[in-house]
Amino acid sequence: MSKGEPLRLHVPEPTGRPGCATDFSYLRLSPAGAVRRPEVDVAPMDTRDLAYSLISVIDAEGNAVGPWVPQIDIEVVRKGLRAMMKTRVFDSRMLMAQRQKKMSFYMQSLGEEAIGTAQALALNEDDMCFPTYRQQSILVVRDYPMVDMICQLMSNERDPLKGRQLPVMYSVKKAGFFSISGNLATQYIQAVGWGMASAIKGDTKIASAWIGDGATAEADFDTALTFAHVYRAPVILNVVNNQWAISTFQAIAGGEDTTFAARGVGCGIASLRVDGNDFLAVYAASRWAAERARRNLGPCLIEWVTYRAGPHSTSDDPSKYRPGDDWSHFPLGDPIARLKQYLIKAGAWSEQEHEETQKRLEAEVLAAQKEAEQYGTMASGHTFSPAEMFDGIYKDMPEHLRVQRQQLGI
Amino acid sequence: MKTSMTMIQALRSAMDVMMEKDDNVVVFGQDVGYFGGVFRCTEGLQKKYGKSRVFDTPISEGGIVGVAIGMGAYGLRPCIEIQFADYIYPAYDQIVSEAARLRYRSAGDFTAPITIRTPCGGGIYGGQTHSQSPEAVFAHVCGLRTVMPSNPYDAKGLLIASIENDDPVIFLEPKRLYNGPFDGHHDKPVVPWSQNPLGEVPEGYYTVPLDKAAIFRPGKQLTVLAYGTMVWVSEAAARETGIDAEIIDLRSLWPLDLETIVESVKKTRRCVVVHEATRTCGFGAELVSLVQEHCFYHLEAPIERVTGWDTPYPHAQEWAYFPGPARVGAAFKRAVEA
């Protein structure tokens, strides 16, 4: 056997870099309505084709087509659109507040609003979500008060987390929103455990796990799939593939020539790959997965194909690593624009209602921000007392922490 | 009613008692279900409580701890096993970043009332990955409790207290003590727990409080701070040197019982810290520091540390590594003669 050519290390690259357009042909797309809808008790192996295609409902003209058109009350769709709009208005307002130094940090979910919103609407209120830092739409659609969110962002005297957490790391048990951790992927396996607990207790609640494309490379992603499969845990394993992990293209996470949904099939988990910018498809797929889990038929992995339209965070400048106009070329468009078009076509929305809703939401968010600012901001120094720093580390404060608190002079 | 139990039986009894008492207690880990654990600590529990309460897991330490945290958030009280402390590192992120921080970062919204049992320590020809004592890497983490028993009575009472505690507990079990006390004399036959009063264990529910040390052997000449197997080694060293050492079994490493330590050192005016773990940045350094801070004006001699060497745990050189009674006794002499 010959020694052959020298080996070469393959390092994936995105096609688009600043000043050069992205070739989005790498996205495995399917026309709206083209992908089949199996029964909820489908064998995981029989979802292989679904893991390599794309479930879409709303077509380019704004019609809902195909087997995945959900049975959904039009009022719920309207509520969904309003929540998506509210999330976007909230994000843009908070971005501005960060630039004004009213908070130290912020992360938008621009372009990804449909996913959290529609899934939350497809779940029951007492199903527990294990979100990342980019599922604020779940809190918005579950009507968690914006004032409380902003107080957390401002770490002020009304911050529910008492100034202990970086902005956006919300925790709202009563809204089924698990405490966000800075450590990526950790919550994915915890969601599986929560679902297992529900099964152990003979409960009917299910868990919803969230992860981004980049974080699928963390060990906890694979661990979660293994445990979910082994114990048939009632959990929806959501992978939000927004193509980017900060500056890193999804190919570096292992997305080149494959899909993240395919990982589920390989682990024996029924898997779907869904248009993440199509509210109706997100709702339909989430309902399907929720029913599967709730009927004890096991977990489901869903790859949501979307695009991170905004910067990764307020500390990031995407123009340094990707084309400035990338989002406008993303084939799956803008989730709000698409649902708006659908609702108008269905006679359940109008340009005028859209405009009025937009204005009302802007006023609502502004009012919430003003109210929150009354309780202080980081800049104004109105935050929780440093005494709080020592509390809640253990259920009861141990002696050494009592002494350290005294040493701080409080 | 008291029964003679080994540490293995005492630990099993603790889990049995807690599973009976609280429906939310679940037990799982690698090989703990049908087989009853590689050390037999969970034998019979699956048969008694069913597979939904006692079950085997995939070989994934991060997964075992991660699902336990999720279950804790739901409202269960998992008591889980990592087969050897040497293999706990893949779960380090879940333990440090998640279990330890969950209550704090969520302002009490969610908690992690989990107990992580794991066999630790050497003296069994376990080599590099079946002998480690990683307590210092947990004692350093705020939000965790780190506990290590030295006998069957404490093992059961401390494990029940740990399972009932609402904070995450790292429960380290010196596997060298599973079947009988061990004083470091590896050339002598092991005396089973049935011949030791600390092997007398109540059958039902009782607790040994966390954060409370025990005076294992009262003495006047010097204070020994030890835990796990080193309690027994220290006792042998005291016996063999004739030095009247007051041996404190810390039991809870962190948070610890500072009062008992300080009271003893102020009385004896000398202190030796003994642990199997490697020396540099080991838990002994914290103990030395605490004694120095709190007892400086009472000390008559420098505080001594007898520990494992700063090497990976070797196989063939087991007894040159393990801090046996000769090395510990020599430190006792240095401390009293200084």
Side-chain angles (χ1 to χ4, degrees):
Chain A
M1 200 171 141
S2 78
K3 280 177 77 182
E5 292 290 305
L7 296 165
R8 288 185 313 276
L9 182 71
H10 175 69
V11 181
E13 268 291 316
T15 52
R17 285 296 192 188
C20 145
T22 299
D23 174 5
F24 282 107
S25 64
Y26 73 88
L27 295 169
R28 292 160 178 267
L29 305 181
S30 316
V35 175
R36 70 190 177 93
R37 181 183 187 280
E39 294 301 315
V40 290
D41 61 355
V42 65
M45 267 181 66
D46 297 335
T47 62
R48 193 180 177 281
D49 58 318
L50 302 170
Y52 290 99
S53 47
L54 190 78
I55 295 164
S56 279
V57 169
I58 303 173
D59 69 12
E61 285 73 46
N63 302 303
V65 295
W68 285 93
V69 175
Q71 299 217 313
I72 181 171
D73 193 293
I74 201 73
E75 260 320 304
V76 178
V77 184
R78 285 160 50 86
K79 181 180 162 73
L81 181 60
R82 285 195 300 269
M84 285 161 65
M85 293 170 71
K86 189 166 162 179
T87 304
R88 187 169 295 183
V89 169
F90 183 79
D91 276 353
S92 95
R93 187 78 219 170
M94 294 306 107
L95 178 67
M96 201 184 303
Q98 193 278 336
R99 296 304 188 219
Q100 293 166 341
K101 297 186 167 39
K102 288 173 177 171
M103 58 189 68
S104 63
F105 179 76
Y106 193 70
M107 302 179 98
Q108 300 178 83
S109 61
L110 185 66
E112 302 176 36
E113 297 92 343
I115 304 165
T117 302
Q119 177 150 121
L121 287 169
L123 296 173
N124 293 340
E125 290 279 325
D126 55 0
D127 294 330
M128 183 65 74
C129 298
F130 287 75
T132 75
Y133 45 67
R134 226 184 290 280
Q135 275 78 49
Q136 53 263 56
S137 55
I138 294 171
L139 281 178
V140 172
V141 75
R142 282 184 166 174
D143 290 320
Y144 181 62
M146 271 186 295
V147 174
D148 292 1
M149 290 174 81
I150 301 169
C151 288
Q152 194 281 326
L153 296 170
M154 293 184 166
S155 297
N156 66 19
E157 288 165 349
R158 289 283 184 98
D159 173 3
L161 306 183
K162 305 182 178 186
R164 294 173 187 163
Q165 272 278 47
L166 193 70
V168 314
M169 305 281 178
Y170 311 106
S171 173
V172 191
K173 190 176 189 176
K174 64 185 178 199
F177 194 92
F178 184 72
S179 161
I180 296 174
S181 169
N183 296 66
L184 293 181
T186 51
Q187 78 289 343
Y188 218 56
I189 180 69
Q190 292 162 7
V192 174
W194 198 95
M196 288 168 69
S198 185
I200 286 169
K201 299 304 277 186
D203 204 343
T204 57
K205 297 197 274 275
I206 65 169
S208 159
W210 295 85
I211 203 166
D213 46 289
T216 61
E218 294 281 5
D220 283 337
F221 172 72
D222 299 285
T223 303
L225 267 55
T226 301
F227 278 69
H229 163 68
V230 168
Y231 301 105
R232 303 293 190 273
V235 59
I236 305 176
L237 298 157
N238 298 284
V239 179
V240 181
N241 180 2
N242 68 16
Q243 316 307 321
W244 293 95
I246 308 185
S247 74
T248 310
F249 183 55
Q250 60 102 37
I252 285 277
E256 195 170 53
D257 298 329
T258 186
T259 71
F260 294 100
R263 306 277 188 91
V265 181
C267 288
I269 295 171
S271 301
L272 308 175
R273 191 163 170 275
V274 182
D275 181 344
N277 291 0
D278 179 338
F279 177 91
L280 295 182
V282 177
Y283 181 86
S286 297
R287 275 307 280 251
W288 187 93
E291 192 189 341
R292 183 177 171 85
R294 228 181 289 280
R295 280 176 51 187
N296 254 324
L297 298 167
C300 177
L301 184 143
I302 310 177
E303 175 184 349
W304 306 105
V305 180
T306 184
Y307 185 84
R308 195 196 78 212
H312 165 71
S313 73
T314 49
S315 308
D316 175 49
D317 175 7
S319 73
K320 295 279 198 290
Y321 52 81
R322 72 182 188 188
D325 61 348
D326 222 24
W327 191 29
S328 61
H329 299 292
F330 182 65
L332 302 178
D334 172 349
I336 292 180
R338 286 175 66 193
L339 190 62
K340 176 189 169 195
Q341 187 193 16
Y342 163 79
L343 271 176
I344 289 175
K345 203 149 191 185
W349 198 253
S350 66
E351 286 292 353
Q352 191 194 342
E353 189 169 5
H354 195 84
E355 206 169 302
E356 284 166 10
T357 303
Q358 179 75 17
K359 285 202 175 116
R360 185 174 51 74
L361 291 171
E362 280 168 7
E364 249 182 67
V365 173
L366 189 60
Q369 185 185 339
K370 281 192 171 149
E371 189 186 337
E373 280 181 36
Q374 286 172 14
Y375 308 122
T377 63
M378 283 278 277
S380 72
H382 286 278
T383 57
F384 261 91
S385 154
E388 278 296 336
M389 188 162 65
F390 300 95
D391 212 19
I393 299 165
Y394 297 87
K395 187 182 182 195
D396 303 308
M397 188 179 294
E399 181 65 10
H400 71 281
L401 287 172
R402 199 184 57 74
V403 169
Q404 288 175 24
R405 193 176 64 180
Q406 283 172 345
Q407 286 170 347
L408 190 61
I410 41 183
Chain B
M1 193 181 132
K2 284 192 173 184
T3 311
S4 174
M5 293 189 199
T6 64
M7 192 184 279
I8 290 166
Q9 290 164 332
L11 293 164
R12 179 165 66 226
S13 176
M15 287 182 267
D16 191 1
V17 164
M18 284 311 296
M19 294 194 80
E20 183 88 50
K21 187 167 183 275
D22 182 349
D23 283 344
N24 289 324
V25 175
V26 289
V27 168
F28 54 93
Q30 196 186 328
D31 300 305
V32 309
Y34 182 87
F35 180 57
V38 293
F39 292 107
R40 318 313 299 151
C41 288
T42 55
E43 191 170 29
L45 294 178
Q46 184 179 75
K47 195 170 182 194
K48 186 168 177 187
Y49 296 100
K51 285 205 292 186
S52 66
R53 303 227 9 232
V54 183
F55 53 89
D56 291 319
T57 61
I59 305 172
S60 169
E61 292 77 12
I64 294 166
V65 175
V67 297
I69 294 167
M71 288 178 182
Y74 177 93
L76 300 190
R77 204 170 273 281
C79 175
I80 59 175
E81 180 180 305
I82 301 296
Q83 200 161 75
F84 287 87
D86 314 62
Y87 302 132
I88 204 164
Y89 309 115
Y92 200 57
D93 190 30
Q94 286 287 344
I95 294 171
V96 176
S97 312
E98 302 295 317
R101 304 275 192 269
L102 188 54
R103 177 189 296 277
Y104 189 70
R105 77 170 196 236
S106 70
D109 213 13
F110 297 93
T111 61
I114 66 176
T115 302
I116 304 173
R117 291 181 41 243
T118 190
C120 71
I124 55 147
Y125 287 106
Q128 294 193 19
T129 56
H130 298 82
S131 307
Q132 295 170 29
S133 297
E135 64 271 14
V137 301
F138 299 109
H140 183 61
V141 178
C142 47
L144 295 180
R145 292 177 177 276
T146 304
V147 174
M148 193 191 296
S150 68
N151 59 76
Y153 180 88
D154 282 356
K156 178 171 174 180
L158 286 169
L159 183 55
I160 290 177
S162 297
I163 295 170
E164 285 191 320
N165 195 281
D166 289 326
D167 302 319
V169 180
I170 306 296
F171 194 89
L172 295 157
E173 303 167 358
K175 57 186 151 332
R176 177 71 236 206
L177 302 180
Y178 269 165
N179 291 304
F182 178 67
D183 63 8
H185 286 291
H186 52 95
D187 43 354
K188 291 180 189 160
V190 174
V191 180
W193 281 114
S194 57
Q195 291 175 38
N196 191 289
L198 288 167
E200 288 292 304
V201 178
E203 281 188 352
Y205 171 91
Y206 71 94
T207 61
V208 170
L210 303 184
D211 314 344
K212 281 280 166 219
I215 301 200
F216 186 79
R217 180 199 187 280
K220 296 193 179 67
Q221 277 183 286
L222 69 93
T223 297
V224 181
L225 304 181
Y227 46 89
T229 308
M230 288 302 129
V231 169
W232 297 95
V233 174
S234 299
E235 192 199 37
R239 203 170 52 236
E240 289 159 21
T241 55
I243 292 170
D244 187 19
E246 177 146 294
I247 301 170
I248 296 179
D249 179 358
L250 296 180
R251 301 197 292 199
S252 286
L253 307 194
W254 199 262
L256 55 51
D257 181 358
L258 187 61
E259 203 181 322
T260 298
I261 295 170
V262 170
E263 198 182 316
S264 175
V265 176
K266 283 186 175 174
K267 180 181 76 180
T268 65
R269 297 174 168 259
R270 291 162 208 275
C271 182
V272 177
V273 173
V274 190
H275 62 58
E276 280 182 72
T278 52
R279 184 180 186 88
T280 303
C281 298
F283 188 57
E286 186 61 38
L287 294 172
V288 169
S289 181
L290 284 169
V291 171
Q292 192 273 347
E293 276 172 36
H294 291 273
C295 310
F296 182 75
Y297 294 106
H298 292 77
L299 286 170
E300 301 280 356
I303 307 161
E304 287 274 349
R305 263 193 292 173
V306 190
T307 68
W309 308 118
D310 281 341
T311 66
Y313 206 114
H315 184 247
Q317 302 87 349
E318 174 96 69
W319 305 114
Y321 175 94
F322 185 92
R327 261 172 71 197
V328 174
F332 287 5
K333 281 185 198 155
R334 285 197 301 275
V336 293
E337 285 162 10

